[in-house]
Amino acid sequence: MTAMSTPSIGQLLDSTVPMARTLKLAYLETTPERAVLQLPDQPDYHNHVGGPHAGAMFTLAESASGCIVLAAFGDQLSRAVPLAVSAEIAYKKLAMGTVTATATLGRPVAEIVAELDEGKRPEFPVTVEITREDGAVTGVMTVLWTLRPNS
């Protein structure tokens, strides 16, 4: 399996998900093993306490999950479409300044592709940790994804 290059995944996300482009997300790493995205500190997206708004952090984390899915399953897009099934986020600590989201797949790629090969619609979790610049975890999101086979 060949992974898409970092600019390709970021460009793909920015072109297909206008919200990611609007937030000016930075794509630091996008591989099948992990995706790391950053939300710059932008006053337009602050909440009432001066940090990034919960909606902006949700979009950051969900975008990181989408990047790892594209990196891991980009070679499957001709036969299946990736879709987020559900997402749950827990806000742990006050986020201030620039925040970074790191996404990891919850199941091996080969196992998921094998289910797709069997004609199934595989589901798999992606866990995303959101951290502030001092390394403190400010939030954790789990996104359940599926690869829906094309008809």
Side-chain angles (χ1 to χ4, degrees):
M1 173 182 308
T2 58
M4 299 169 127
S5 67
T6 300
S8 296
I9 290 175
Q11 289 168 352
L12 180 62
L13 199 74
D14 277 352
S15 67
T16 58
V17 183
M19 187 65 176
R21 184 174 59 248
T22 298
L23 289 176
K24 298 176 180 74
L25 300 180
Y27 304 92
L28 306 182
E29 180 182 338
T30 52
T31 68
E33 289 74 39
R34 75 185 206 149
V36 182
L37 275 63
Q38 204 165 61
L39 174 66
D41 187 18
Q42 302 169 82
D44 284 350
Y45 304 111
H46 282 179
N47 58 20
H48 61 289
V49 292
H53 188 277
M57 289 194 299
F58 185 100
T59 300
L60 168 68
E62 197 275 341
S63 297
S65 78
C67 282
I68 199 170
V69 169
L70 287 172
F73 304 107
D75 60 343
Q76 304 298 320
L77 296 180
S78 63
R79 67 181 184 140
V81 64
L83 297 169
V85 175
S86 64
E88 184 176 319
I89 191 166
Y91 300 101
K92 304 282 189 183
K93 290 187 178 192
L94 184 61
M96 297 298 281
T98 298
V99 289
T100 303
T102 302
T104 54
L105 281 176
R107 291 179 56 203
V109 171
E111 183 180 289
I112 297 163
V113 172
E115 284 183 23
L116 193 60
D117 289 342
E118 294 167 7
K120 296 178 181 174
R121 182 176 170 162
E123 289 190 352
F124 52 95
V126 174
T127 301
V128 185
E129 270 196 353
I130 305 167
T131 56
R132 49 184 198 217
E133 290 175 302
D134 66 1
V137 175
T138 64
V140 177
M141 174 185 261
T142 301
V143 183
L144 184 64
W145 284 86
T146 188
L147 294 179
R148 185 191 74 202
N150 297 335
S151 349

